[in-house]
Amino acid sequence: MATSDWGDWLPNAIESADPDGVAIWYLGCNGFVLKGREGTTIYVDPYVGLGDPPRTVRMVPVPFDPEDVDHADAVLVTHEHTDHVHGPSQAPVLANSSATLYGPDDSLAVAREDEAWTDNWDVRDDQFAEVTEGDTVEIGEFTVHVEAANDPDATHPVSYVIEHEAGTVFHGGDTKPPEDDSFERIGEAYDLDLGILAFGTVGTIPDKETGEPERTRWYNDENQIIECAEVLELETLLPSHWDMWKGLTADPKVLHHHARSFDHPERLEVVEIGDRVDLG
């Protein structure tokens, strides 16, 4: 397991924060923490692993040690990939806080079977809760809706709409523009104040089996991410994942040019690992 490059200041900052509405911290990769005014704390896709060099090489600091997190109400995971479901990153959070891990079936299979969290960490089986598209879960002051996602590289991806009195957040995982009308329906059903979408370049990454370099697209390019933001009718777009893997990093500032002629997103929020954004 990687050692935190920043000590314990980020978990301490989250625990001591007293937001007026909702505070949101970016953990790098596709990880976020949401904390409401009443103290409810939700982690989404937190990952502090180093990847699998030389295939996947982490390009940002490890911002916290999961052992330092002792307050969380839930961990949401969007799909089964290692940088979204990862025992060393997430099981200690569950063990120390008694939080519940919410995720689709294939994600929970990683935790329960492939990584055996209940055997390798102090995690109980009742801390796993399977969700699927159409489900709604109440987590403290937040209402979480499970929605569709389009990630052809995943076996069962989902997205989350996280509602609070102070605003509504969409987290798409590694989704790309869907071929159906699911995002139009989400955009019509919710007033999305902030949308988190994965962004990156196309790069050359060694194949997992052969090690041979292959042209790889894991995340939205500039046009795809704005297409998602437009059909979701996002007020603010927050691009994620662009900072993480060597060969797939990108400059999110260029999205100003791609977005400027569209009605949505109305605003681009560019954050770096460790930054905080507030709603309400």
Side-chain angles (χ1 to χ4, degrees), residues 107-123:
S107 297
L108 295 192
V110 172
R112 281 178 162 145
E113 300 165 19
D114 299 350
E115 296 184 343
W117 292 13
T118 56
D119 294 334
N120 295 313
W121 291 274
D122 188 17
V123 174

Side-chain angles (χ1 to χ4, degrees), residues 9 21 55 58 61 84 86 98 111 117-118 125 127 156 162 172-173 179 184 195 208-209 217 224 230 236 266 274:
W9 77 261
R55 181 172 183 263
R58 186 183 182 103
H84 298 262
H86 186 239
S98 295
W117 292 13
T118 56
D125 191 66
Q127 289 179 267
H156 186 186
I162 306 170
E179 297 179 356
E184 284 88 346
K208 183 179 289 188
E209 302 298 330
R217 180 199 298 272
Q224 289 175 315
E230 171 74 2
T236 301
E266 298 175 16

Side-chain angles (χ1 to χ4, degrees), residues 30-67:
N30 219 354
F32 289 82
V33 183
L34 291 79
K35 184 175 184 180
R37 61 168 67 101
E38 298 174 16
T40 303
T41 305
I42 298 176
Y43 283 71
V44 187
D45 283 354
Y47 175 72
V48 293
L50 298 181
D52 184 23
R55 181 172 183 263
T56 49
V57 180
R58 186 183 182 103
M59 297 295 289
V60 289
V62 176
F64 70 96
D65 183 337
E67 295 286 356

Side-chain angles (χ1 to χ4, degrees), residues 226 230 254-266 268:
I226 299 303
E230 171 74 2
V254 304
L255 297 177
H256 287 289
H257 302 289
H258 292 266
R260 66 187 307 164
S261 66
F262 293 93
D263 292 334
H264 302 281
E266 298 175 16
L268 178 66

Side-chain angles (χ1 to χ4, degrees), residues 132-152:
T132 193
E133 296 89 335
D135 288 350
T136 296
V137 180
E138 300 291 340
I139 304 172
E141 62 203 276
F142 294 94
T143 299
V144 178
H145 304 277
V146 186
E147 295 288 353
N150 176 35
D151 180 3

Side-chain angles (χ1 to χ4, degrees), residues 74-173:
V75 177
L76 309 180
V77 294
T78 58
H79 61 287
E80 76 285 351
H81 290 166
T82 300
D83 54 341
H84 298 262
V85 180
H86 186 239
S89 298
Q90 298 164 2
V93 176
L94 269 63
N96 294 339
S97 67
S98 295
T100 299
L101 180 82
Y102 295 90
D105 50 2
D106 292 347
S107 297
L108 295 192
V110 172
R112 281 178 162 145
E113 300 165 19
D114 299 350
E115 296 184 343
W117 292 13
T118 56
D119 294 334
N120 295 313
W121 291 274
D122 188 17
V123 174
R124 306 182 312 274
D125 191 66
D126 64 5
Q127 289 179 267
F128 299 125
E130 183 178 327
V131 294
T132 193
E133 296 89 335
D135 288 350
T136 296
V137 180
E138 300 291 340
I139 304 172
E141 62 203 276
F142 294 94
T143 299
V144 178
H145 304 277
V146 186
E147 295 288 353
N150 176 35
D151 180 3
D153 296 315
T155 56
H156 186 186
V158 299
S159 61
Y160 294 103
V161 174
I162 306 170
E163 289 186 312
H164 188 275
E165 290 180 357
T168 301
V169 177
F170 175 84
H171 191 299

